[in-house]
Amino acid sequence: MKFKNRYIAYLLCLMTVSSCLHKTECDETVNSSAQLGFYEIVNQKAVSIMYDNVTVYGLSSDSLIYNNVDSVRSVILPMNHSADSCIFVMRIESVTDTLLFRYTRKLEFISENCGFSTEFRLTKLETTNHNIDSVKIENPDINSSKSENIQIYY
């Protein structure tokens, strides 16, 4: 009997812990972030490139998003839910550029369980050109679709 009670208690603990490890549907549908890919032009074609020592942080939010990360082909940046713009500082191999995102915001109802999500429509992207050559807005709709929004050319 003692063994059976321990076994049941062990199973209950295991089920509780494992249920906390899974992402909910809300995690996937509520988070809206911009995805930026790194490219260069080779023989008149855009080619994805990889960088080492990538550091990215939000200027006004004081949040470190990437800290000297190696082998980076793209970055995912969270937009500011309470403003129509946000600024990020991106340092790649000791050269620093600043990116200013301007966008419109739209509140979307997801469900009773998940609540609301903010969707963004990118209207303008301004950068310094210390390392960045140019940018292309590939998909201006920043939502939970996980598609690349911006191509950055070096």
Side-chain angles (χ1 to χ4, degrees):
M1 188 66 156
K2 203 178 210 185
F3 175 75
K4 188 176 182 181
N5 288 341
R6 278 190 192 167
Y7 182 72
I8 290 172
Y10 174 76
L11 281 178
L12 287 173
C13 287
L14 186 62
M15 289 186 327
T16 302
V17 169
S18 68
S19 68
C20 294
L21 298 178
H22 297 292
K23 286 186 173 181
T24 66
E25 67 180 76
C26 297
D27 292 335
E28 298 299 319
T29 58
V30 175
N31 296 326
S32 298
S33 297
Q35 183 169 338
L36 293 74
F38 301 151
Y39 294 87
E40 67 181 359
I41 300 295
V42 177
N43 296 326
Q44 299 179 340
K45 292 184 181 179
V47 177
S48 178
I49 56 176
M50 188 181 330
Y51 279 108
D52 291 332
N53 301 321
V54 175
T55 298
V56 181
Y57 59 90
L59 194 58
S60 61
S61 63
D62 196 34
S63 60
L64 186 61
I65 301 166
Y66 295 85
N67 188 15
N68 289 324
V69 180
D70 291 335
S71 303
V72 178
R73 290 188 184 277
S74 65
V75 293
I76 297 173
L77 304 178
M79 299 293 99
N80 186 339
H81 294 266
S82 59
D84 291 331
S85 66
C86 59
I87 300 173
F88 292 96
V89 176
M90 182 181 303
R91 187 175 66 241
I92 297 178
E93 298 174 353
S94 75
V95 180
T96 302
D97 277 299
T98 303
L99 296 89
L100 169 60
F101 291 80
R102 296 189 190 277
Y103 45 78
T104 58
R105 296 170 288 142
K106 181 178 164 186
L107 203 57
E108 288 289 322
F109 179 71
I110 303 298
S111 69
E112 284 187 31
N113 290 338
C114 299
F116 290 87
S117 172
T118 305
E119 293 187 356
F120 303 89
R121 180 151 182 91
L122 193 58
T123 56
K124 190 172 187 179
L125 175 58
E126 300 173 40
T127 69
T128 56
N129 296 109
H130 302 144
N131 199 15
I132 295 174
D133 177 66
S134 59
V135 295
K136 178 183 177 188
I137 298 174
E138 189 68 24
N139 177 10
D141 296 321
I142 299 171
N143 50 37
S144 61
S145 70
K146 307 290 187 231
S147 63
E148 186 173 84
N149 302 98
I150 299 156
Q151 294 179 345
I152 300 179
Y153 292 91
Y154 293 93

